[in-house]
Amino acid sequence: MKVLVIGGGAREHALCRSLSLDPDVTALHCAPGNAGIAEVAELHPVDALDGSAVTALAQELGAELVVVGPEAPLVAGVADAVREAGIPCFGPSGEAAQLEGSKAFAKDVMAAAGVPTARSYVCTTPEEVDTALDGFGPPYVVKDDGLAAGKGVVVTEDLETARQHGHACDRVVIEEFLDGPEVSLFAITDGSTVLPLTPAQDFKRALDGDEGPNTGGMGAYSPLPWADPKLVDEVLETVLQPTVDELRRRGTPFSGLLYAGLAITSRGVRVIEFNARFGDPETQVVLARLRTPLAGVLLRAANGTLDAQAPLTWRDEAAVTVVVASHNYPGTPRTGDPIEGLDEVAAQDAPHAYVLHAGTKRSGDAVVSAGGRVLSVTATGADLTEARERAYAAVGRIGLDGSQHRTDIAAKAAAGH
Ligand code: AMP
Ligand code: GLY
């Protein structure tokens, strides 16, 4: 199978790594990719947001499956363009991707499908914002309606901070604060059949101890030793299947990856958000544990034949990933700094630990930083303690001036808390 992956983050590197290990994959291409993906796939300098350019590339390559990684091309309808040309595509239509593209749309779908989520108001004027904030009280949760790379959400005890963010957005969702640990559960779906993957936990805040601003995600681990073993079945029944059924009922079936961001509250599981694509960095740990070859599963989702898929199998190992981010991330990051130590990790830590590239590019002989999240150092081990040790040993070999990473990824879970 000839596969083309669209995107260029650590999630796409993880996807390409898994696809490159799949014996059914005969050729692997990626656009635009990054310096790390170049080691497992052939790169093409195509604008991921341009549906006709992506389709033309897929045709030229004779791609038999296109996998669209990030949300922006999905919301822009890139998967629609590829499918219209008759090429199987893993990723929802632009309309179905509104599940991620508009928080107000997601709330509407959840209400119609009876999916448990935070009570919320959609506000378009400063007066509505103030009334909603007063109604809920602190902590305040204020979400920009549109796509914001995980950075449009403000959760704060401070009314003035909440008002400022609410007033700065054209359309904003203000909702009830959900207490309790967060879980990311992904499911592969063809629009009818829903196949949940293994749960993971992401670390959204920039600093240790869940301090600092929200980010796209600073690390992740899987499995979750503290979670109820029935969690996946419960979320399939109460969240994933009803959502997929509701979108099909509306005439906009969702095929691709449905990502449920969940809070495990004292009153039960609640959806915090949906995404229409694999999460980053959770994908790095989920795919590290997936034993079933990936390409056939994605192709069945794209073809509408997921009901014929054998149950997925998982490695009995734990996985941890630690994101190394640029100076000043999640503010405007500093880029262009050389990255040292990549060869040392490859020589000393493989195959248990490896570097997945996010914002990197080649500059002469060097690999330099080119984005906010630069690398995702991923490791597996017999348990979370071993996976953590291996991940942090590899992180310690990476040199990137001014870089930052959290030191507490999976620490509590490894210690049994
Ligand atoms: P989102 O982009 O909707 O996932 O929000 C980003 C992060 O903000 C989430 O992962 C949570 O940590 C936090 N958050 C969002 N909504 C809520 C909520 N209703 N209650 C508590 N925290 C929230
Ligand atoms: N890790 C959060 C996300 O991918 O949105």
Side-chain angles (χ1 to χ4, degrees), residues 268-351:
V269 174
R270 299 279 184 280
V271 174
I272 293 178
E273 64 161 348
F274 282 126
N275 291 317
R277 35 106 194 146
F278 280 99
D280 190 340
E282 299 96 310
T283 300
Q284 286 85 302
V285 291
V286 170
L287 293 184
R289 299 190 53 231
L290 179 65
R291 201 190 285 276
T292 309
L294 185 62
V297 187
L298 301 184
L299 183 64
R300 279 193 193 90
N303 279 342
T305 56
L306 209 54
D307 55 347
Q309 174 65 44
L312 301 178
T313 57
W314 300 95
R315 279 177 228 288
D316 201 17
E317 280 190 310
V320 170
T321 196
V322 179
V323 170
V324 177
S326 295
H327 181 68
N328 205 37
Y329 178 76
T332 307
R334 196 173 88 197
T335 58
D337 290 303
I339 303 165
E340 316 281 349
L342 295 170
D343 292 341
E344 285 79 352
V345 174
Q348 296 179 45
D349 303 299

Side-chain angles (χ1 to χ4, degrees), residues 339-367:
I339 303 165
E340 316 281 349
L342 295 170
D343 292 341
E344 285 79 352
V345 174
Q348 296 179 45
D349 303 299
H352 301 297
Y354 46 89
V355 174
L356 297 169
H357 291 225
T360 70
K361 66 173 188 191
R362 267 208 176 271
S363 171
D365 283 343
V367 175

Side-chain angles (χ1 to χ4, degrees), residues 244-255:
V244 166
D245 291 346
E246 170 63 17
L247 284 163
R248 193 177 62 247
R249 194 190 64 75
R250 292 181 179 213
T252 52
F254 186 104
S255 79

Side-chain angles (χ1 to χ4, degrees), residues 120-274:
S120 66
Y121 292 102
V122 181
C123 306
T124 51
T125 67
E127 294 71 33
E128 285 174 2
V129 167
D130 292 347
T131 307
L133 291 173
D134 283 347
F136 285 122
Y140 302 101
V141 182
V142 185
K143 301 183 170 186
D144 193 343
D145 184 46
L147 282 185
K151 291 181 272 183
V153 177
V154 167
V155 181
T156 177
E157 293 278 347
D158 182 47
L159 181 59
E160 240 351 270
T161 310
R163 290 182 72 216
Q164 271 172 20
H165 185 57
H167 294 182
C169 303
D170 289 339
R171 223 162 110 92
V172 65
V173 175
I174 295 184
E175 67 180 32
E176 168 193 16
F177 178 78
L178 298 174
D179 210 355
E182 289 181 38
V183 172
S184 300
L185 183 61
F186 303 163
I188 291 175
T189 175
D190 60 4
S192 302
T193 302
V194 181
L195 210 60
L197 306 186
T198 191
Q201 191 172 49
D202 181 18
F203 292 74
K204 288 263 166 70
R205 300 282 183 148
L207 306 176
D208 281 5
D210 296 327
E211 302 283 340
N214 262 318
T215 70
M218 295 300 289
Y221 68 92
S222 176
L224 313 181
W226 50 268
D228 184 339
K230 295 194 295 292
L231 178 71
V232 173
D233 286 343
E234 182 192 338
V235 175
L236 174 61
E237 196 180 312
T238 61
V239 173
L240 299 166
Q241 191 70 56
T243 300
V244 166
D245 291 346
E246 170 63 17
L247 284 163
R248 193 177 62 247
R249 194 190 64 75
R250 292 181 179 213
T252 52
F254 186 104
S255 79
L257 193 291
L258 177 58
Y259 164 144
L262 307 162
I264 315 297
T265 76
S266 52
R267 292 183 296 139
V269 174
R270 299 279 184 280
V271 174
I272 293 178
E273 64 161 348
F274 282 126

